[in-house]
Amino acid sequence: MTAIPPAAAAPAPSRRRRLSLRWLVSGASVAALLLAWYLATGPLELLSAMQLPSPADAYDALLEIAGAGYADGTLWQHIVASTGLVLYGFAAAALTGVPLGILMGRSRLVEAYVNPVFQIVRPIAPIAWIPLTILWFGLGTSAKVFVIWLAAFAPTVINTHTGVRNIDDTLLQAARVNGAAGRLMLLDVVVPGALPSIFTGLRTSLQACWMVLVAAELVGSFVGLGHVLIIATRDLNSGMILVAMAAVAAMGMLMSALLAQVERKVMPWKA
């Protein structure tokens, strides 16, 4: 009796095919959302223009702010101003949060000193600091950057600290046996081992920067996407509100994608 060989397993789909399918599904979900928006604000009249602007209203608002401008600036000027604030705040959070997280992860003494204060201050929402921020920094750029830094600082510290503490102790012992100590241990073992958690914290911090942007621009702003939202709310201009929200979302996605590219370059083994 002749044995029937088992059927060969179907080859796994190529990476390109998986990416194409993912983009197709993503595009379909966005198209469905846009269709629902059009139907709800147009033919079905489920929502009034005050509740949610129609696509035509949003398009008119986009043409207005991109051309003649709105709230003392064009769309490009508002995007540049807000992006600058986010970059300053994010850079400040990264430059302060990552070293502090590493110190807390490497030293029980530093953690004992810093952690209680950090846990007391951490639950306070960044917007609650605005009155003190105005007293400390006035109404200039420093005050806005400080509010954004407050939102981005905690995720950076927490994730960096977690990443350092979760490094395999066997790896650390092996490095010590082979003579690693001090700066060599830090740069060749600790930082590379904590990088995945560090970048997780940076991604979360970047999202927090854009989330708190509107609150930051309450501090005496005359230009910026948050300023557009504030003025459009006063004017009951729902189309302009949606345009500003879409611009914030687009810039947040773009900067997150750029950070992901940096992560791939720094950690090619994860690509």
Side-chain angles (χ1 to χ4, degrees):
M1 184 175 183
T2 306
I4 301 176
S14 65
R15 183 182 179 187
R16 181 177 299 179
R17 182 178 175 184
R18 290 197 303 269
L19 287 175
S20 299
L21 179 60
R22 186 171 67 181
W23 279 108
L24 181 62
V25 173
S26 299
S29 66
V30 172
L33 178 63
L34 293 176
L35 178 61
W37 176 25
Y38 167 73
L39 293 175
T41 58
L44 300 180
E45 297 183 350
L46 298 177
L47 298 170
S48 68
M50 290 297 297
Q51 294 174 310
L52 182 68
S54 67
D57 292 335
Y59 181 70
D60 291 340
L62 176 61
L63 291 181
E64 178 185 354
I65 194 172
Y70 181 84
D72 304 316
T74 63
L75 179 60
W76 176 248
Q77 291 171 329
H78 292 304
I79 287 175
V80 169
S82 292
T83 302
L85 290 177
V86 168
L87 287 175
Y88 281 129
F90 176 69
L95 292 175
T96 55
V98 171
L100 180 59
I102 292 174
L103 281 174
M104 291 174 64
R106 294 290 293 160
S107 172
R108 297 285 184 179
L109 183 61
V110 172
E111 183 183 21
Y113 275 115
V114 175
N115 195 51
V117 178
F118 185 75
Q119 294 300 329
I120 291 171
V121 174
R122 178 188 165 197
I124 303 175
I127 194 171
W129 289 88
I130 288 179
L132 281 177
T133 300
I134 294 173
L135 294 177
W136 293 342
F137 300 102
L139 298 175
T141 301
S142 299
K144 303 177 189 63
V145 171
F146 179 73
V147 173
I148 294 174
W149 171 81
L150 281 172
F153 180 66
T156 306
V157 174
I158 292 170
N159 283 275
T160 301
H161 172 258
T162 302
V164 173
R165 279 294 169 85
N166 287 340
I167 295 175
D168 191 351
D169 190 60
T170 304
L171 178 63
L172 297 176
Q173 294 294 341
R176 291 191 187 98
V177 168
N178 285 278
R183 183 179 178 183
L184 185 63
M185 173 71 82
L186 177 66
L187 297 181
D188 289 354
V189 180
V190 175
V191 172
L195 271 179
S197 290
I198 290 174
F199 271 100
T200 298
L202 292 177
R203 287 196 302 271
T204 305
S205 296
L206 184 58
Q207 294 167 4
C209 288
W210 283 104
M211 289 174 65
V212 81
L213 176 68
V214 178
E217 291 188 342
L218 286 171
V219 187
S221 289
F222 298 101
V223 66
L225 295 172
H227 178 65
V228 173
L229 283 168
I230 294 165
I231 299 301
T233 301
R234 292 175 184 173
D235 295 342
L236 300 178
N237 190 338
S238 59
M240 196 63 69
I241 291 173
L242 198 62
V243 169
M245 290 172 61
V248 169
M251 291 306 302
M253 291 174 61
L254 175 60
M255 290 183 66
S256 294
L258 292 175
L259 182 60
Q261 291 296 325
V262 173
E263 183 177 0
R264 288 191 195 80
K265 294 291 184 182
V266 174
M267 296 189 297
W269 62 86
K270 286 194 67 180

